[in-house]
Amino acid sequence: MNEDKRMAEKEEHLPLLGANIIFLIGILALFIVDILVNVFIKAKNIKVSTNTFYSVALITEFLFILLPSYLYVLFTGKQVRKVLRINRLSIVNVLITVGIMVFSLPLIGFINFIVISIINAIGRPIPNPLLDIKNIRSLIIGTAVIAGSAGICEEVMFRGVVLRGYERFGKTTALIVTSLLFAVMHRNIQNVAGIFFIGLVIGYLVYRTNSIFAGMIAHFTNNAIVVVITFGLNKFAEMAGIDIKELTESQQALGLQAMNIAAAIFWLFIVIFSAVVFAGLITLLRHNTQDIVGRNNDQVKNMEWRVENEHRNITFSQYIPLVIGLVLIGLKFTQDIYYILSLNMPEWMKWI
């Protein structure tokens, strides 16, 4: 590869230190928000309303996730369009992306089910309270906030800045690391495996299409379906006269032993069917993006060149923001473990 191509390729990537700082900023923002909310709840002895949750979520996503990521790319002097892969996505690839995410949900559910079953065997699962989405208005608002804002802001951060920062170690390593950081940033130890899988799928879609729009659409689709399911569960509980808190906790308490054979077989059929369709759509995407990958072969083939020539400049100091962020997440995961094992949690840990 000639020097001009090498320089052009290098212009698309970001410094590792900057990517780790952006990750730390996001983690700090989430922890500060959590602490402030906990202080408010304890001081006022009230529950946070759904509208308040939406307001906090929007502020966090746009002010502490999207804005620092975008400003950092501008600060580096690199072309935002190239760095963030702001490239056109064909209608066919849009449909394939949506299909992949739809049929990945049963696989994610299967992963989460295994994790919950393991947790049931050693302790108790962490409740995930459902949002109060009971009418069309709240459904639209919930979709806009939970699916829309996260789909835009978190994709710019992770499949934009963080992914670019770690590409010097190769495409596969960058994809795995970014997906892992994406998973742990959600700060719930029992959901890490499922979210990690989601991150891998979304990252792969972005790589194959060379478009961050694929990531945004995939992220939006996943979260939007979760919002719709939440709406359905709320409606079901309302019609059945069931306490929604009791419903969600009982669902999470389900282990393999609690499933009857007929339900288990049906659910397994859904998972297998979804896995087959999912694999077929991935194959279709690979076929449909051959020309895109072909145009970007220099970037893929020369990962080894970047590793050989750039890793020499990497020092531990560039990982310090990442280490700080992971330590904070470790504290939250420790809190989760205390809950799962029904241990007496130190008072200071309850504020995290």
Side-chain angles (χ1 to χ4, degrees), residues 10-39:
K10 193 173 180 180
E11 279 298 307
E12 297 178 359
H13 302 288
L14 296 172
L16 180 63
L17 176 61
N20 287 334
I21 289 176
I22 292 300
F23 174 74
L24 176 59
I25 290 174
I27 292 296
L28 286 174
L30 292 172
F31 267 83
I32 291 172
V33 168
D34 284 347
I35 291 173
L36 291 177
V37 169
N38 285 333
V39 169

Coordinates of all heavy atoms in Angstrom, one line a residue, residues 10-39:
K10 N -5.2 6.5 8.0 CA -4.9 6.9 9.4 C -5.8 8.1 9.8 O -6.1 8.3 10.9 CB -3.4 7.3 9.5 CG -2.9 7.4 10.9 CD -1.4 7.6 10.9 CE -0.9 7.8 12.4 NZ 0.5 8.0 12.4
E11 N -6.2 8.9 8.8 CA -7.0 10.1 9.1 C -8.4 9.7 9.5 O -9.1 10.5 10.1 CB -7.1 10.9 7.8 CG -5.9 11.8 7.5 CD -5.7 12.8 8.6 OE1 -6.7 13.6 9.0 OE2 -4.6 12.9 9.2
E12 N -8.8 8.4 9.3 CA -10.1 8.0 9.7 C -10.1 7.5 11.2 O -11.2 7.3 11.7 CB -10.6 6.9 8.8 CG -10.8 7.4 7.3 CD -11.3 6.2 6.4 OE1 -11.4 5.1 6.9 OE2 -11.5 6.5 5.2
H13 N -9.0 7.3 11.7 CA -8.9 6.7 13.1 C -8.6 7.8 14.1 O -8.1 8.8 13.8 CB -7.9 5.6 13.1 CG -8.2 4.5 12.1 ND1 -9.3 3.6 12.3 CD2 -7.7 4.2 10.9 CE1 -9.3 2.8 11.2 NE2 -8.4 3.2 10.4
L14 N -9.0 7.4 15.4 CA -8.8 8.4 16.5 C -7.8 7.9 17.5 O -7.6 6.7 17.6 CB -10.2 8.6 17.1 CG -11.3 9.2 16.3 CD1 -12.6 9.2 17.0 CD2 -11.0 10.6 15.9
P15 N -7.2 8.8 18.2 CA -6.2 8.4 19.3 C -6.9 7.6 20.3 O -8.1 7.8 20.7 CB -5.8 9.8 19.8 CG -6.0 10.8 18.7 CD -7.3 10.3 18.0
L16 N -6.2 6.6 20.8 CA -6.8 5.7 21.8 C -7.1 6.4 23.1 O -8.1 6.2 23.7 CB -5.7 4.6 22.1 CG -6.1 3.5 23.2 CD1 -7.4 2.8 22.7 CD2 -5.0 2.6 23.4
L17 N -6.3 7.4 23.5 CA -6.5 8.1 24.7 C -7.8 8.9 24.7 O -8.6 8.9 25.6 CB -5.4 9.1 25.0 CG -5.5 10.0 26.2 CD1 -5.6 9.2 27.5 CD2 -4.4 11.0 26.3
G18 N -8.1 9.5 23.5 CA -9.3 10.3 23.4 C -10.5 9.4 23.5 O -11.5 9.7 24.1
A19 N -10.5 8.2 22.8 CA -11.6 7.3 22.9 C -11.9 6.8 24.3 O -13.0 6.7 24.7 CB -11.3 6.0 22.0
N20 N -10.8 6.6 25.1 CA -11.0 6.2 26.5 C -11.5 7.3 27.3 O -12.3 7.1 28.3 CB -9.6 5.6 27.0 CG -9.3 4.3 26.4 OD1 -10.1 3.5 26.0 ND2 -8.0 4.0 26.4
I21 N -11.1 8.5 27.0 CA -11.6 9.7 27.8 C -13.1 9.9 27.5 O -13.9 10.1 28.5 CB -10.8 11.0 27.4 CG1 -9.4 10.9 28.0 CG2 -11.6 12.2 27.9 CD1 -8.6 12.1 27.5
I22 N -13.5 9.7 26.3 CA -14.9 9.8 26.0 C -15.7 8.7 26.7 O -16.8 9.0 27.2 CB -15.2 9.7 24.4 CG1 -14.6 10.9 23.7 CG2 -16.6 9.5 24.1 CD1 -15.2 12.2 24.1
F23 N -15.2 7.5 26.8 CA -15.9 6.5 27.5 C -16.0 6.8 29.0 O -17.0 6.7 29.6 CB -15.1 5.2 27.4 CG -15.6 4.0 28.2 CD1 -16.7 3.4 27.9 CD2 -14.9 3.6 29.3 CE1 -17.2 2.3 28.7 CE2 -15.3 2.6 30.1 CZ -16.5 1.9 29.8
L24 N -14.9 7.4 29.6 CA -14.9 7.8 31.0 C -15.9 8.9 31.3 O -16.6 8.9 32.3 CB -13.5 8.2 31.4 CG -13.4 8.7 32.9 CD1 -13.8 7.7 33.9 CD2 -12.0 9.2 33.1
I25 N -16.0 9.9 30.3 CA -17.0 10.9 30.5 C -18.4 10.4 30.6 O -19.2 10.8 31.4 CB -16.9 12.0 29.3 CG1 -15.5 12.7 29.4 CG2 -18.1 12.9 29.4 CD1 -15.3 13.7 28.3
G26 N -18.7 9.4 29.7 CA -20.0 8.8 29.7 C -20.3 8.1 31.1 O -21.4 8.2 31.6
I27 N -19.3 7.3 31.5 CA -19.4 6.6 32.8 C -19.6 7.5 34.0 O -20.5 7.4 34.8 CB -18.2 5.7 33.0 CG1 -18.1 4.6 32.0 CG2 -18.2 5.1 34.5 CD1 -19.3 3.6 32.1
L28 N -18.8 8.6 34.0 CA -18.9 9.6 35.1 C -20.3 10.2 35.1 O -20.9 10.4 36.2 CB -17.8 10.6 35.0 CG -16.4 10.2 35.4 CD1 -15.4 11.3 35.0 CD2 -16.3 9.8 36.8
A29 N -20.8 10.6 33.9 CA -22.1 11.2 33.8 C -23.2 10.3 34.4 O -24.0 10.7 35.1 CB -22.3 11.6 32.4
L30 N -23.1 9.1 34.0 CA -24.1 8.1 34.4 C -24.1 7.9 35.9 O -25.1 7.8 36.6 CB -24.0 6.8 33.7 CG -24.3 6.8 32.2 CD1 -23.8 5.5 31.5 CD2 -25.7 7.1 31.9
F31 N -22.9 7.8 36.5 CA -22.8 7.6 37.9 C -23.2 8.8 38.7 O -23.9 8.7 39.7 CB -21.3 7.3 38.3 CG -21.0 5.8 38.3 CD1 -20.8 5.1 37.2 CD2 -21.1 5.1 39.5 CE1 -20.5 3.7 37.2 CE2 -20.8 3.7 39.5 CZ -20.6 3.1 38.4
I32 N -22.9 10.0 38.2 CA -23.3 11.2 38.9 C -24.8 11.4 38.9 O -25.4 11.7 39.9 CB -22.6 12.5 38.2 CG1 -21.1 12.5 38.5 CG2 -23.3 13.8 38.7 CD1 -20.4 13.5 37.8
V33 N -25.4 11.1 37.7 CA -26.9 11.1 37.6 C -27.5 10.1 38.6 O -28.5 10.4 39.3 CB -27.3 10.8 36.1 CG1 -28.8 10.6 36.1 CG2 -26.9 12.0 35.2
D34 N -27.0 8.9 38.6 CA -27.5 7.9 39.5 C -27.5 8.3 41.0 O -28.4 8.2 41.7 CB -26.7 6.6 39.4 CG -27.1 5.8 38.1 OD1 -28.1 6.2 37.5 OD2 -26.4 4.9 37.7
I35 N -26.3 8.9 41.4 CA -26.1 9.4 42.7 C -27.1 10.5 43.1 O -27.8 10.5 44.1 CB -24.7 9.8 43.0 CG1 -23.8 8.6 43.0 CG2 -24.6 10.5 44.3 CD1 -22.3 9.0 43.0
L36 N -27.2 11.5 42.1 CA -28.2 12.6 42.4 C -29.6 12.1 42.5 O -30.4 12.6 43.3 CB -28.0 13.6 41.2 CG -26.7 14.4 41.2 CD1 -26.7 15.3 40.0 CD2 -26.5 15.2 42.4
V37 N -30.0 11.2 41.6 CA -31.3 10.6 41.7 C -31.6 9.9 43.0 O -32.6 10.1 43.6 CB -31.6 9.7 40.5 CG1 -32.9 8.9 40.7 CG2 -31.6 10.4 39.2
N38 N -30.6 9.1 43.4 CA -30.7 8.4 44.7 C -30.8 9.4 45.9 O -31.6 9.2 46.8 CB -29.5 7.5 44.9 CG -29.6 6.2 44.1 OD1 -30.7 5.8 43.7 ND2 -28.5 5.6 43.7
V39 N -30.0 10.5 45.8 CA -30.1 11.5 46.9 C -31.5 12.1 46.9 O -32.1 12.3 48.0 CB -29.0 12.6 46.7 CG1 -29.3 13.8 47.6 CG2 -27.7 12.0 46.9

